[in-house]
Amino acid sequence: MYFIANWKMYGNIKSLNTLNKVIKFSKSKEIKKGRLIYCPPFTLIIPFFKKFQNCLIDIGGQNCHENDDYGPHTGFINSKMLKNSGANYVIIGHSENREKGETNKLINQKIKSAIRAKLKVILCIGETLEEKNKGKTKLILSKQIKLCLDKINKKATLFIAYEPVWSIGTGKIPKTKELENTIRFIKSKFKKKMPKILYGGSVNPKNIYNLKMIKDLDGFLIGGASQNSKNFIDIVKKTYN
Ligand code: 13P
């Protein structure tokens, strides 16, 4: 199972000390088959990479520009720069960026660029509360999958993180049946190479007991709870116990 920490716009150089516990845990037998990946803000990618040099914890970015090459794009970094800093993964299409105008088409261009840079892509999809209440969840997810993955290299390693927007940072998670049904629906959209499927949205050491029972999940994309090493470790431990 994959446990991907999305630190969003949190963390500073002092946060490095908090990683010692996780590094120790990653070398212990307790980690079982858990794979840990940290996606810190851009400023911390290189320090995290250095910190994780002697363990198996991997690194990802939280977004990238759609252009492969260097260019006059103030405030942005591209997939090649992420790869060059030590990242092997990148989160693309997070709802917090979609809210700010990131379209499925732009996300598609970013994914293609990330694949060319040999990054593993974690594509976020999910419906808003309004869309859910109107019964549009499947329609929205289908559209996001179709447009974001249009003409991408079929051999690329892909993760789909289902993150219902209404669940992010709210403490609310979907009902078991509902979530299983949605995961099954997402999987039905892939005929050839099946992506790894993650769930994200308010995952914490308490609700992990329910979430780990969900069929066909390959892991979790964890926001708030991942910034506290104890909570992050607890989530992994409880998934296997
Ligand atoms: P929370 O775990 O804080 O709800 O955030 C989820 C998320 O957005 C991960 O990408």
Side-chain angles (χ1 to χ4, degrees), residues 186-200:
I186 293 170
K187 291 191 86 160
S188 75
K189 296 282 154 193
F190 295 87
K191 301 281 175 288
K192 290 185 181 149
K193 189 172 173 185
M194 188 59 68
K196 302 243 181 277
I197 310 285
L198 312 172
Y199 167 78

Side-chain angles (χ1 to χ4, degrees), residues 4-6 8 91 94-96 124 161 163 167-171 200-204 221-227:
I4 307 185
N6 176 8
K8 308 192 180 186
I91 296 171
H94 195 284
S95 59
E96 285 154 11
C124 298
E163 300 206 307
S167 170
I168 296 176
T170 60
S202 293
V203 178
N204 65 38
L221 182 55
I222 307 160
S226 73
Q227 288 154 40

Side-chain angles (χ1 to χ4, degrees), residues 213-227:
M213 307 305 278
I214 304 293
K215 284 189 209 104
D216 290 335
L217 271 186
D218 300 295
F220 301 98
L221 182 55
I222 307 160
S226 73
Q227 288 154 40

